[in-house]
């Protein structure tokens, strides 16, 4: 067993997801040495709110700290590229939030830099680490579903459903040209690729911006928080929702929708895979249950229980059956693998977290979606 207390972490970003990272690190026993905010003032305020002892004034100060072994990048998307480059150049391991970069050109360079560095470099596609998604991955690998034929599903939220809702992801210079697809759609694509063992090879996409003007607050707004006070009208170019048909490299076909304007859907990621022998389906809002479908036998609902799961699924679980593992637990499971590999200095053959290569594929997926939507045709990834 790895003694995680010997390892030190620093977190860039003190917002919603940065706090989630810190909570998961503390559960593992990793020392959180400090945080870096978007300004020294916000960093200090974030450190105080999160009970972290140090707020670094600059990235250079963070990287000069010999107690930091691994850096978590939870900053807005536009900052990932330069920050990750500096982290790897400083000889530290890195976990970067998704999407990996703003463009596939940036992510391609990040892949090469990570390879050359010899450091552990992971992308935080945490939804893989709900244990039943690992169980489903093991089922597919063992042939329990047969040949995967059809993959369908969605990722729907409602936190940007009103003209007064605001977040930095709405602006393409901070979040990228794609929003619902880049922010949550890449989670869905990474997850179904992991479960099915097949990458997306081609797309036919339709993107829509339903709310073309929004009210941007003059002051900062945290993710999933309501805005208040003085606002400015801003024209919106990024996608509120998308419909995308998919072709997978192994021959499967699929269709997905993404939405950040589906009222009542707080964080609903669903996938359904139809194989030649059986089917399976999962919903992030009921994460401890996996549907397994049969033609000539009763259908099943597998409640997450390590004693009833395959080895791949059981390895991702931390609690007994009936004790629900949720969003925060998925980060703990992901970080447990990454820090174990960082302790040895190499990725284990059994590790299942998303690599920078996986993150680069999602950036190429986004390129294909943009081109397909613009040209109304199938585009290869």
């Amino acid at each position: 067993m790895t003694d995680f207390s010997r390892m030190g972490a620093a977190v860039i970003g003190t917002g919603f997801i940065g706090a989630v990272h810190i909570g998961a690190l503390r559960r593992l026993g990793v020392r959180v040495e400090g945080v870096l905010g978007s300004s020294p003032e916000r960093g200090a305020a974030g450190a105080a709110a999160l009970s972290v002892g140090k707020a670094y004034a600059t990235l250079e100060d963070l990287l000069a700290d010999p107690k930091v072994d691994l850096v978590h990048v939870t900053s807005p998307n536009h900052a990932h590229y330069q920050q990750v480059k500096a982290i790897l150049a400083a000889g530290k391991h890195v976990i970067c939030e998704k999407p990996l970069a703003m463009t596939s050109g940036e992510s391609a360079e990040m892949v090469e830099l990570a390879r050359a560095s010899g450091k552990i470099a992971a992308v935080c596609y945490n939804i893989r680490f709900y244990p039943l998604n690992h169980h489903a991955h093991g089922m597919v690998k063992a042939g329990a579903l047969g040949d995967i034929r059809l993959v369908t599903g969605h990722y729907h939220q409602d936190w940007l459903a009103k003209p007064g809702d605001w977040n930095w992801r709405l602006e393409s210079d901070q979040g990228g040209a794609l929003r619902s697809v880049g922010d949550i759609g890449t989670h869905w694509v990474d997850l179904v690729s992991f479960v099915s063992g097949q990458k997306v090879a081609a797309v036919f996409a339709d993107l829509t911006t339903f709310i073309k003007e929004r009210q941007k607050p003059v002051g900062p707004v945290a993710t999933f928080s309501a805005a208040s006070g003085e606002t400015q009208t801003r024209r919106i170019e990024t996608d509120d929702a998308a419909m995308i048909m998919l072709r997978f490299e192994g021959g499967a076909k699929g269709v997905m929708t993404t939405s950040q304007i589906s009222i009542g859907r707080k964080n609903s990621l669903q996938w359904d895979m139809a194989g030649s022998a059986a089917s399976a389906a999962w919903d992030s809002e009921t994460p401890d249950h996996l549907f397994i479908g049969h033609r000539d036998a009763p259908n099943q609902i597998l409640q997450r229980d390590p004693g009833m799961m395959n080895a791949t699924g059981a390895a991702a679980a931390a609690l007994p059956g009936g004790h629900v593992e949720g969003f925060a637990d998925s980060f703990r499971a992901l970080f447990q693998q990454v820090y174990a590999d960082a302790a040895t200095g190499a990725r284990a053959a059994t590790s299942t977290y998303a690599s920078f290569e996986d993150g680069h594929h999602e950036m190429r997926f986004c390129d294909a979606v943009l081109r397909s939507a613009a040209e109304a045709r199938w585009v290869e990834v």
Side-chain angles (χ1 to χ4, degrees):
M1 291 288 291
T2 304
D3 182 1
F4 293 112
S5 67
R6 297 179 179 226
M7 309 189 72
V11 178
I12 301 176
T14 58
F16 164 71
I17 206 65
V20 172
H21 280 236
I22 290 170
L25 290 170
R26 284 174 169 157
R27 288 177 62 192
L28 287 174
V30 174
R31 303 188 321 270
V32 181
E33 300 292 346
V35 298
L36 176 66
S38 57
S39 68
E41 296 74 22
R42 293 192 70 183
L50 296 165
S51 299
V52 175
K54 182 186 299 182
Y56 301 100
T58 66
L59 179 59
E60 290 72 24
D61 289 343
L62 183 159
L63 296 178
D65 188 343
K67 295 180 180 179
V68 174
D69 301 298
L70 197 151
V71 182
H72 294 241
V73 178
T74 75
S75 51
N77 303 347
H78 73 278
H80 293 181
Y81 172 65
Q82 292 294 347
Q83 289 172 346
V84 168
K85 285 177 63 176
I87 292 163
L88 292 172
K92 298 184 187 295
H93 307 288
V94 62
I95 297 176
C96 186
E97 271 294 338
K98 52 75 216 164
L100 183 57
M102 291 282 278
T103 69
S104 60
E106 290 179 351
S107 61
E109 183 179 351
M110 292 160 80
V111 168
E112 293 306 316
L113 290 172
R115 286 175 181 164
S117 74
K119 297 298 177 179
I120 300 301
V123 185
C124 197
Y125 283 113
N126 64 292
I127 302 177
R128 290 187 181 198
F129 282 85
Y130 284 91
L132 287 174
N133 284 324
H134 266 60
H135 179 84
H137 167 82
M139 290 180 68
V140 172
K141 198 169 183 179
L145 301 189
D147 296 328
I148 303 300
R149 294 171 169 172
L150 187 66
V151 181
T152 60
H154 69 243
Y155 200 157
H156 293 174
Q157 300 172 330
D158 72 355
W159 68 294
L160 294 173
K162 298 180 179 181
D165 294 332
W166 188 264
N167 184 261
W168 57 262
R169 292 170 176 83
L170 290 156
E171 298 186 286
S172 57
D173 61 340
Q174 293 193 63
L178 288 171
R179 185 189 2 120
S180 76
V181 174
D183 186 36
I184 57 178
T186 57
H187 259 307
W188 190 92
V189 170
D190 177 80
L191 177 58
V192 300
S193 296
F194 170 69
V195 173
S196 70
Q198 300 185 32
K199 295 284 191 183
V200 174
V203 301
F204 197 127
D206 179 70
L207 306 175
T208 303
T209 305
F210 289 100
I211 304 174
K212 300 186 183 301
E213 288 188 345
R214 291 178 180 264
Q215 299 304 308
K216 178 182 179 180
V218 173
V221 179
T223 300
F224 297 121
S225 297
S228 62
E230 185 181 353
T231 63
Q232 300 171 338
T233 300
R234 288 298 178 91
R235 183 78 178 172
I236 302 300
E237 305 293 340
T238 53
D239 52 296
D240 287 321
M243 300 180 294
I244 308 173
M245 291 191 293
L246 310 165
R247 294 173 180 163
F248 291 83
E249 62 185 11
K253 301 293 180 71
V255 61
M256 64 176 288
T257 60
T258 62
S259 170
Q260 292 175 320
I261 48 82
S262 292
I263 292 174
R265 293 297 187 184
K266 303 305 177 185
N267 193 48
S268 175
L269 185 158
Q270 297 179 10
W271 60 257
D272 190 305
M273 291 186 191
S276 59
S279 66
W282 181 83
D283 183 342
S284 67
E285 293 187 339
T286 54
D288 258 24
H289 296 86
L290 179 72
F291 170 85
I292 303 170
H294 302 286
R295 170 65 184 270
D296 301 311
N299 293 334
Q300 298 171 289
I301 299 292
L302 172 62
Q303 183 175 9
R304 184 200 54 78
D305 184 336
M308 298 183 182
M309 296 161 67
N310 57 37
T312 304
L319 299 175
H323 299 74
V324 178
E325 292 189 46
F327 182 74
D329 299 284
S330 68
F331 286 86
R332 181 210 56 79
L334 190 163
F335 298 167
Q336 184 175 36
Q337 275 196 7
V338 173
Y339 275 81
D341 284 354
T344 64
R347 180 175 177 128
T350 54
S351 290
T352 51
Y353 55 83
S355 65
F356 271 26
E357 287 85 355
D358 294 320
H360 176 52
H361 182 271
E362 309 312 342
M363 294 306 304
R364 292 174 59 218
F365 167 82
C366 288
D367 286 348
V369 166
L370 282 168
R371 186 172 179 184
S372 173
E375 300 177 6
R377 67 178 182 86
W378 281 98
V379 173
E380 292 186 359
V381 175

